Amino acid sequence: GIRNIFNNYLIMFGRLVRKTPSKQIFTSAVRCYTNELDCAVSSSEFKELVDNFEPEQDIVFLDVREDEDTTDGFLPTYNSNGVKLRNIRIPILDLIEMQIHELEQYKDTHQIFVYCRGGNKSVAATRILDLHGYNTVNLKGGISKLKKVMDLWKQGSDSETKRGEEVEAFFEAMKLNDKYHH
């Protein structure tokens, strides 16, 4: 019965949270027992999850921003303890078309923390993913709120950005080269 269900949960940040061997993570089951329409975390709660992330935790950080929304920066590849975060970026339009191959392996096992620039696209994304059976939590206020409590990377850690930087550096070097040889 309901008592057995609650034995596996505890209250954290004023919400129902699943007990796990290592750290606590939020559960979509929260929706059944609270009046909240959507399960969401604040910037400071999100920062705490990033700072305390451990590889054995069943957590994925999902960025659903389109390229033009990424000017505020990116989650770092590693947290302050040097632990590599499980970061995935799937722009919202790809997600709407269900181009989510990277995410599928985490469907039944992981909590997906979804974020965007201001918090609206991620609400849409969490609803879509919930309909498809994913366990999602939205970051309230998005990256624009998160950047007030956490240092973000100015460049993406994705290979396209790295390639862009390399190409830029190459052309800068060419310009310098031209200066000295003419």
Side-chain angles (χ1 to χ4, degrees), residues 20-109:
T20 61
S22 54
K23 300 260 193 283
Q24 300 86 13
I25 48 175
F26 299 90
T27 175
S28 288
V30 119
R31 290 189 193 84
C32 309
Y33 304 112
T34 69
N35 296 323
E36 285 184 59
L37 202 64
D38 296 291
C39 193
V41 290
S42 69
S43 304
S44 51
E45 290 167 345
F46 189 88
K47 179 188 186 305
E48 200 175 310
L49 285 162
V50 169
D51 290 344
N52 298 317
F53 179 77
E54 295 292 339
E56 65 273 8
Q57 279 184 294
D58 297 334
I59 292 178
V60 173
F61 298 102
L62 176 64
D63 182 352
V64 296
R65 295 174 297 168
E66 293 295 330
D67 290 346
E68 62 271 16
D69 294 333
T70 60
T71 50
D72 285 333
F74 297 83
L75 275 193
T77 304
Y78 297 88
N79 70 8
S80 48
N81 301 322
V83 178
K84 193 176 196 307
L85 300 174
R86 210 172 282 117
N87 290 333
I88 296 179
R89 180 158 170 247
I90 303 174
I92 186 75
L93 296 176
D94 292 349
L95 194 134
I96 288 167
E97 293 170 4
M98 291 310 287
Q99 295 175 20
I100 56 172
H101 326 293
E102 278 180 275
L103 207 55
E104 285 167 358
Q105 61 182 310
Y106 303 114
K107 182 173 182 174
D108 300 318
T109 54

